[in-house]
Amino acid sequence: MDFAAFCATSRVVIVAGKGGVGKTTATATFAVAAARAGLSVLIVEVEGKSGLTAAFGLEPLTYDEIDLAPNIRARTLTPDEALVDYLEDHGMRRVARRLASTGVLDVTATAVPGMRDILVLGKIKQLEQARAADLILVDAPAAGHAVSFLMSPAGLLDAVSMGPIRKQAEDVVAMLRDPARAQVMLVTLPEETPVNELVDTAYALEDRVGIQLGPVVVNACIAAPPDESSVPVDAPDLDALRAAIAFTTERHRLAQSQINRLAERLALPQIHLPLLSSVAVGRTEIDTLADAFTAEVEAW
Amino acid sequence: MVSAIEGLVDDRAVVICCGTGGVGKTTTAAAIALEAARRGRRACVVTIDPARRLANALGLDALSDTPSEISAALWDPHHRSTGSLAALMLDPKRTFDGLVTRYAADDEQANRILQNRFYRNISGALGGTQEYMAMEKLHELHTEGGFDIVVVDTPPTRHALDFVDAPQRLLRLFDNRLFRIMMMPTRASMRVAGVALQTLLRTMSRVVGREVVDDVIAFFRAFEGMEAGFRERAAHVQALIADPETAFVLVTTPRRDAVDEADYFARRLVELSLDVDALIVNRVHPSFTDVAPAELTARAIGPAEPAYRLLIDLESVATREQAEVARVLERVPGTPMATVPLLASDVHDLASLGHIGEHLFAGPSVD
């Protein structure tokens, strides 16, 4: 598949996955790959610090956009700021700041299920409508929460029968259900528990949110080790070499069996990103992963 | 002679496992409880969000607010222990309902609250509720559950250590000036509620609709009189967290992002005058040789080169992991540490939990 066409499938891609599976890495990788393909990318972080900027050697994100790399901008979205924006946009500028600072948002947000999520999703919708970038990548909250995050607009429609916030929820639902506007890209590791949770999340998103599911990114796929027979029996470190090969063979086998299991249980295309031996992800690693990401998609 | 981590299992009444998501907190908590049971204590593990197969292994097929006993035949087949093992998967909403019922003056008041829509949202979704309820459940099991040791797994929250001040956050809700006014009987509130409040309430109504505001007001009226009970309870929970009988176990993996989080947790605990009593590092890569990397690189020629490259890669991972672990240890010098190697498969039965325990409890010994 042509990579630029792939990147243009949906204007908003929500990257979701269980904590620790490399969601932020996948987001950064997709961003770099898409930017290389000529798209302008905006990364939106919705749950505090994620280490995204650290990979690019920058300070943590703020509500104001920053340039992360050529063609890649990034920002955070917090419910408080989104509420102030929202009120200002709806002619309530005068009370907006006070509403946030007096804790009324706390009360309101508590009174209305998913209010915070709606404010954030509403702002994302606004960015999408304003064509803030060719591709908006949302680094979503961790897995279980991702489902409630995306379900919040539908939940709110049940709870609130009138008012502008209801309209906001309706607009967000419309965006989430339109594959040309939004899809979810799930991220996992080739391990048993992350695979199980990914499958559960996928079904929940499809059934309860009705959002299009894009490809699954499988992070940290271990490469097959060299064959043990390639090691001459008189090699000085024979035992260590054999042990390293045996260890990697077993890990590779397990990863493959999980990848196969995922394919059996979930009929979605997979993008396999290689396991890197570095302890931390920096710009070099992201570039390597972006190469792999692009190559995987182009091979479809 | 027992290892320092064994000491925790033998002596403490409460063990709180904290760390970021995906580092094996739940498994660690379960392994600690299992070991305590094997050593003759009545143990209970409270988990937040266990992986399904581990939940099944622990006999947890549904959320619950009461612990379920795990048959000794499963974890002590040779009847060597006089201890017991129970587990429960936290249901924050039911725990909250239980609190309301406990502090309500009568059933009528309890029902009025339990059926209020605002309450239902608080109990299900208020930021920090899950954390607070985990601590609340911990307190309840500790004081009334008949257990010698309660091990709790904390929610995989980004907002590290929310659980420590979760009781306070709930109380802050009641301390809000707006709430206090709302909680006054109607007449008084009309008098006190100035123009400013009226404006804010009107704005809220304009954004979310009048009925939501009415729900909120109704909730606070219904809640009248229960606040003191909640406040007192929160103070008890807070005291338990700081009690010397309570141990904090910091769980991490040797990856940089996890270590950064662990380092943050450690720093915050120190700020809160809470000690990290043990550090557990899961998923550690093995090292296969003592030969120096430069030497290995020199030998990486000929047909064995690919195998050498693999070995060099694995060794460099192991070395860098050790450096990461050293970084957390620096933050909490002298803290007993146990490492668990990267395992070939996931932990999903009591036998493999026991296997984890062997690594946890075979650490360096102290007198």
Side-chain angles (χ1 to χ4, degrees):
Chain A
M1 181 177 188
D2 176 61
F3 191 71
F6 167 79
C7 295
T9 316
S10 302
R11 285 195 290 273
V12 175
V13 175
I14 296 154
V15 185
K18 175 182 155 66
V21 298
K23 197 161 50 67
T24 301
T25 302
T27 306
T29 298
F30 189 12
V32 167
R36 281 190 200 158
L39 283 85
S40 64
V41 183
L42 173 65
I43 299 177
V44 178
E45 201 178 78
V46 298
E47 205 188 49
K49 65 179 187 75
S50 69
L52 173 72
T53 47
F56 291 86
L58 297 170
E59 292 298 304
L61 293 176
T62 62
Y63 196 74
D64 297 315
E65 276 180 25
I66 59 157
D67 290 318
L68 211 53
N71 259 340
I72 305 175
R73 290 168 295 139
R75 62 174 295 172
T76 58
L77 268 182
T78 65
D80 282 19
E81 293 286 350
L83 174 70
V84 171
D85 275 4
Y86 172 86
L87 292 171
E88 289 184 358
D89 292 347
H90 287 76
M92 288 177 265
R93 177 183 297 269
R94 235 160 34 87
V95 290
R97 294 274 158 196
R98 207 172 65 229
L99 214 51
S101 67
T102 50
V104 173
L105 173 63
D106 273 347
V107 186
T108 315
T110 311
V112 181
M115 169 92 175
R116 287 168 190 279
D117 294 341
I118 282 290
L119 289 168
V120 168
L121 284 166
K123 186 73 196 177
I124 291 169
K125 182 215 70 188
Q126 197 189 55
L127 292 168
E128 183 254 349
Q129 293 287 284
R131 300 288 192 275
D134 298 328
L135 177 63
I136 298 173
L137 292 180
V138 181
D139 192 352
H145 188 183
V147 178
S148 60
F149 175 65
L150 294 173
M151 272 176 61
S152 61
L156 189 129
L157 290 182
D158 290 340
V160 177
S161 56
M162 52 166 277
I165 204 81
R166 184 181 165 88
K167 173 78 172 62
Q168 180 90 321
E170 285 168 352
D171 290 351
V172 171
V173 167
M175 175 181 79
L176 295 180
R177 291 191 180 155
D178 180 349
R181 297 176 66 194
Q183 65 170 301
V184 167
M185 188 170 85
L186 292 165
V187 184
T188 190
L189 292 174
E191 293 169 23
E192 182 177 332
T193 304
V195 165
N196 287 344
E197 296 193 6
L198 179 115
V199 172
D200 290 348
T201 305
Y203 282 115
L205 287 174
E206 203 155 60
D207 297 348
R208 287 147 70 185
V209 181
I211 190 165
Q212 174 80 36
L213 297 176
V216 175
V217 174
V218 185
N219 257 326
C221 295
I222 192 166
D227 200 82
E228 204 193 284
S229 64
S230 71
V231 184
V233 288
D234 58 351
D237 305 287
L238 188 61
D239 289 347
L241 293 171
R242 283 186 170 164
I245 290 173
F247 173 80
T248 308
T249 303
E250 179 60 8
R251 294 212 59 81
H252 177 255
R253 188 187 64 75
L254 284 164
Q256 287 305 311
S257 71
Q258 294 306 328
I259 287 169
N260 295 338
R261 205 166 60 87
L262 176 62
E264 280 162 24
R265 295 185 55 188
L266 209 57
L268 293 174
Q270 296 181 5
I271 296 173
H272 300 152
L273 297 182
L275 172 70
L276 302 176
S277 60
S278 46
V279 168
V281 174
R283 188 56 215 255
T284 320
E285 284 76 19
I286 299 285
D287 282 336
T288 307
L289 294 173
D291 290 340
F293 191 100
T294 309
E296 288 269 312
V297 172
E298 283 176 342
W300 288 347
Chain B
M1 297 255 287
V2 293
S3 84
I5 295 173
E6 274 178 296
L8 291 183
V9 171
D10 285 338
D11 304 336
R12 303 298 181 103
V14 170
V15 176
I16 298 173
C17 296
C18 50
T20 185
V23 296
K25 257 187 323 232
T26 309
T27 312
T28 303
I32 290 173
L34 172 63
E35 179 69 12
R38 286 189 170 160
R39 297 167 79 91
R41 303 189 80 195
R42 290 168 297 170
C44 180
V45 57
V46 181
T47 87
I48 310 284
D49 185 21
R52 203 179 321 124
R53 286 178 68 179
L54 178 63
N56 291 347
L58 294 171
L60 299 171
D61 19 31
L63 291 173
S64 156
D65 63 343
T66 51
S68 61
E69 187 83 24
I70 300 167
S71 161
L74 293 173
W75 55 269
D76 183 28
H78 306 296
H79 311 290
R80 292 197 183 114
S81 171
T82 54
S84 64
L85 180 61
L88 101 81
M89 184 154 65
L90 183 75
D91 181 342
K93 176 152 181 22
R94 277 171 68 179
T95 302
F96 207 149
D97 290 354
L99 266 186
V100 168
T101 310
R102 182 190 290 249
Y103 288 108
D106 49 42
D107 288 354
E108 203 263 314
Q109 184 184 24
N111 285 334
R112 221 164 351 121
I113 294 170
L114 296 179
Q115 279 156 28
N116 181 279
R117 208 156 50 159
F118 179 68
Y119 167 76
R120 294 210 302 268
N121 299 332
I122 290 190
S123 58
L126 177 65
T129 299
Q130 200 184 32
E131 288 83 355
Y132 177 36
M133 290 308 139
M135 290 304 114
E136 164 58 33
K137 186 47 83 179
L138 175 67
H139 180 267
E140 184 194 311
L141 293 170
H142 171 68
T143 52
E144 302 164 24
F147 295 106
D148 300 323
I149 180 168
V150 183
V151 186
V152 66
D153 163 27
T154 53
T157 174
R158 261 271 163 83
H159 317 287
L161 295 182
D162 262 3
F163 63 90
V164 173
D165 57 5
Q168 286 310 317
R169 288 211 290 155
L170 192 72
L171 289 182
R172 254 201 317 266
L173 195 71
F174 301 127
D175 282 338
N176 191 307
R177 197 173 59 93
L178 185 75
F179 283 169
R180 292 221 219 118
I181 295 167
M182 281 186 187
M183 286 172 78
M184 290 178 186
T186 322
R187 284 265 186 79
S189 77
M190 293 320 281
R191 259 183 285 132
V192 179
V195 180
L197 176 67
Q198 294 297 343
T199 310
L200 289 176
L201 286 178
R202 249 201 323 276
T203 308
M204 253 176 92
S205 303
R206 272 170 64 192
V207 176
V208 297
R210 176 73 217 174
E211 57 194 24
V212 172
V213 177
D214 289 345
D215 277 345
V216 175
I217 294 171
F219 168 76
F220 282 97
R221 300 256 158 80
F223 209 83
E224 241 181 307
M226 280 174 55
E227 199 199 340
F230 261 76
R231 209 175 276 282
E232 196 190 334
R233 183 75 168 186
H236 284 305
V237 173
Q238 202 98 38
L240 176 63
I241 291 171
D243 195 284
E245 276 202 310
T246 299
F248 281 91
V249 173
L250 187 55
V251 186
T252 187
T253 66
R255 287 194 55 90
R256 180 163 300 163
D257 46 355
V259 167
D260 284 343
E261 292 285 322
D263 184 55
Y264 175 75
F265 271 61
R267 212 167 53 225
R268 285 277 291 133
L269 284 169
V270 170
E271 277 168 18
L272 294 160
S273 309
L274 299 167
D275 291 330
V276 177
D277 298 279
L279 176 64
I280 291 173
V281 186
N282 283 323
R283 313 172 64 115
V284 177
H285 273 81
S287 167
F288 298 98
T289 179
D290 294 328
V291 179
E295 189 62 26
L296 293 174
T297 308
R299 292 176 191 169
I301 41 165
E305 192 196 332
Y308 268 102
R309 294 271 159 241
L310 175 67
L311 181 61
I312 292 165
D313 251 10
L314 288 171
E315 290 306 307
S316 81
V317 170
T319 307
R320 272 173 294 177
E321 285 186 354
Q322 281 159 19
E324 290 298 324
V325 172
R327 204 152 61 83
V328 203
L329 262 181
E330 256 169 52
R331 180 73 62 187
V332 283
T335 304
M337 181 179 76
T339 56
V340 180
L342 193 60
L343 299 172
S345 59
D346 275 9
V347 173
H348 41 62
D349 55 29
L350 290 160
S352 44
L353 260 190
H355 182 60
I356 299 254
E358 286 165 24
H359 292 284
L360 293 182
F361 304 106
S365 294
V366 294
D367 286 320

